[in-house]
Structure formats: C-alpha cells, structure tokens
C-alpha cells in the first residue's frame, strides 16, 4: 500500500499533465489541495516535498508552488548517492575502503543523528573514485542498528545497502563549505598541499524521518562542482 502522501503526489503529477501546465505555472494553494484531495495539511506538504525532491515542482517562499522547470533539477540539487552522482556525470564510481570501525556516537554525532550519546555506530571511511581516479574522501557514521559493521559490503553502494535494509534515504540536510585538506588527505586525494576542496556534510533521513547517516565528504576542487538553478522570489518583477 503506498503512503497517503504518495497517492496525493501522483494525483498532483496527473493534474499537471491533464491540465497541460507548463514550467513555472502555479499549482493550487495548500488549502485548495487539502479540500480537493480530502487530506490534511501535513499530507499535502509531504506530497509536495516528494515532488520537490524529484524536481517536478518547486516552492517560492511566501508565494506558492510552481511546476518545475529543467533548471530546478540541475545536478547537485537532487539527493543522490556518490555512485548515482558519478554516473550522472559520466564517470564510473568505485571505492577504496580505508577504515570500517565500530564506534560510540560522540556528542556531535549523537546530536546530528538524534540518538543517545554512546550509541553504537558503524564508521566507514572510503576514498571515492571516478573512473579509477580519486574524486573524494568520505567518512560516514551509520547507526549500527541500521547497518551493523559486519554486514557492510565495501564493494556495494552504501545507499543501496540502506535501501535493501528498509532505510531508503529520501531527504537530507547539507552544509557545503570550502576546506584545505590536511597532508594525509592531500596524499589520498592525489592533490598538492594547499589545494582547494569542497566539503559536504550531510545528515540524511529515511522515509520515516529517522536520521540514518552523517557523512562528511571532501571533494577535489579541481574535479567537482555543483550547479543550481535559482529564481527571483518576487515573480511579478
Ligand atoms: C554521497 C553522500 C554521502 C553518502 C554517499 C553514499 O557521497 N554525500 O552522504 O553516504 O553518497 O554513496 P554510495 O551509495 O555510492 O556508497
């Protein structure tokens, strides 16, 4: 049985098609959708975030929801695994496992994952490769109940493994910042000291809204960039 919000999401998709709405056309308000689909505000919101995630629609704060246009699904805005991200950029992804360990959640990690301090986590550090060459250095903490250390398969995509264990990653909060990797990191990434890099910290949650991973990924500045589509908030101008 699909979730109620998924049913509403597919009815909104259908509606966009049937009414031949074009990119940037406005969708009905939340209140109208609640009345039309006979569901709560929460369900309408969940359906809309689903459609935002897939790029079908976008939100303008204080204004409403609009039909998505291609620039709103630019690379970097959709939630992807490293494997998917590399495939979409035309590379073949692989990894070199550097460390896998059982650790207790520190203050910071427990806060980010919403678990008790000391909760057992699986820590995975991988050098992530694109066409066999270093692209990023990544350390991930996953709650051990979600993925016990002995069950992690280093040859497979982490997100595929989480999905097959019933924890498909569907939402994330990310912070992107510039960093200069330290000497060990430079050596692993194959860049010289002082080279620029992009650090992406991600807390990702599953469909039930539970945070399942905290990941910190350092991408080579000379090989990786994000593209994002932006619009003016005031659409009348
Ligand atoms: C990206 C994300 C990480 C995530 C990883 C999973 O790099 N920033 O948060 O852990 O993808 O990648 P894969 O499923 O290819 O192992």
């Amino acid at each position: 049985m699909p979730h109620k919000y998924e049913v509403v999401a597919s009815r909104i998709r259908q509606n966009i098609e049937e009414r031949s709405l074009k990119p940037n056309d406005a969708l009905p308000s939340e209140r109208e959708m609640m009345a039309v689909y006979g569901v709560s505000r929460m369900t309408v919101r969940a359906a809309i975030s689903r459609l935002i995630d897939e790029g079908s629609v976008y939100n303008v704060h204080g204004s409403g929801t609009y039909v998505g246009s291609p620039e709103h699904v630019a690379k970097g805005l959709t939630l992807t695994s490293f494997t998917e991200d590399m495939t979409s950029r035309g590379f073949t992804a692989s990894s070199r496992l550097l460390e896998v360990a059982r650790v207790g959640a520190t203050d910071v990690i427990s806060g980010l994952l919403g678990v008790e301090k000391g909760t057992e986590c699986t820590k995975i550090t991988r050098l992530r490769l694109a066409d066999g060459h270093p692209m990023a250095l990544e350390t991930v903490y996953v709650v051990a109940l979600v993925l016990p250390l002995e069950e992690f398969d280093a040859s497979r995509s982490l997100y595929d493994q989480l999905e097959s264990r019933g924890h498909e990653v569907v939402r994330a909060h990310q912070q992107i910042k510039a960093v200069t990797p330290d000497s060990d990191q430079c050596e692993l990434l194959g860049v010289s000291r002082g080279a620029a890099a992009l650090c992406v910290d991600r807390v990702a949650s599953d469909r039930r809204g539970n945070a399942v991973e905290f990941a910190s990924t350092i991408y080579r500045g000379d090989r990786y960039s994000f593209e994002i589509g932006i619009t003016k908030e005031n659409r009348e101008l």
Side-chain angles (χ1 to χ4, degrees):
M1 266 287 276
H3 283 282
K4 220 196 267 173
Y5 75 89
E6 284 173 334
V7 176
V8 174
S10 65
R11 288 188 61 192
I12 299 174
R13 257 187 239 111
Q14 237 176 30
N15 193 264
I16 294 176
E17 256 185 58
E18 283 166 9
R19 294 172 51 209
S20 314
L21 293 183
K22 308 250 162 346
N24 306 319
D25 280 352
L27 291 186
S29 68
E30 252 179 36
R31 195 177 291 276
E32 284 170 302
M33 292 200 213
M34 284 160 64
V36 171
Y37 302 119
V39 293
S40 67
R41 186 177 296 273
M42 235 175 70
T43 306
V44 168
R45 288 202 175 152
I48 289 176
S49 10
R50 179 63 197 265
L51 296 170
I52 291 176
D53 286 348
E54 67 187 36
S56 310
V57 307
Y58 66 97
N59 238 333
V60 178
H61 189 65
S63 167
T65 309
Y66 299 85
V67 178
S69 54
E71 62 267 34
H72 288 95
V73 288
K75 257 174 241 139
L77 272 191
T78 0
L79 194 154
T80 54
S81 67
F82 180 82
T83 308
E84 293 165 331
D85 186 17
M86 290 306 118
T87 307
S88 77
R89 291 167 192 260
F91 295 116
T92 302
S94 61
S95 299
R96 197 174 111 209
L97 183 65
L98 300 173
E99 185 195 4
V100 55
R102 200 174 276 127
V103 297
T106 58
D107 270 338
V108 174
I109 303 289
S110 60
L112 290 167
L113 293 177
V115 295
E116 296 272 307
K117 186 176 168 191
T119 301
E120 194 178 300
C121 291
T122 305
K123 176 184 176 192
I124 304 157
T125 303
R126 291 174 291 174
L127 181 66
R128 317 263 5 213
L129 312 165
D131 285 353
H133 301 293
M135 176 64 91
L137 189 58
E138 183 167 76
T139 297
V140 183
Y141 295 83
V142 185
V143 178
L145 272 179
V146 169
L147 179 66
L149 172 135
E150 55 282 352
E151 298 198 16
F152 171 64
D153 177 352
S155 67
R156 285 181 61 204
S157 149
L158 171 65
Y159 276 13
D160 278 355
Q161 295 177 63
L162 293 178
E163 185 173 346
S164 32
R165 302 178 70 84
H167 296 279
E168 184 189 0
V169 171
V170 293
R171 201 169 300 281
H173 183 82
Q174 280 195 171
Q175 190 188 50
I176 304 172
K177 59 192 179 206
V179 290
T180 43
D182 66 25
S183 55
D184 290 345
Q185 293 169 335
C186 283
E187 203 178 316
L188 287 163
L189 287 168
V191 296
S192 36
R193 277 309 299 276
L198 208 52
C199 175
V200 179
D201 286 346
R202 177 184 289 183
V203 177
S205 326
D206 62 15
R207 257 181 217 294
R208 283 179 292 269
N210 295 321
V212 288
E213 70 151 359
F214 166 68
S216 187
T217 311
I218 300 175
Y219 294 90
R220 277 176 59 148
D222 59 342
R223 294 194 79 193
Y224 193 84
S225 68
F226 282 104
E227 283 169 43
I228 51 169
I230 51 174
T231 47
K232 244 183 187 161
E233 191 164 289
N234 184 345
R235 309 180 55 78
E236 309 316 322
L237 288 179

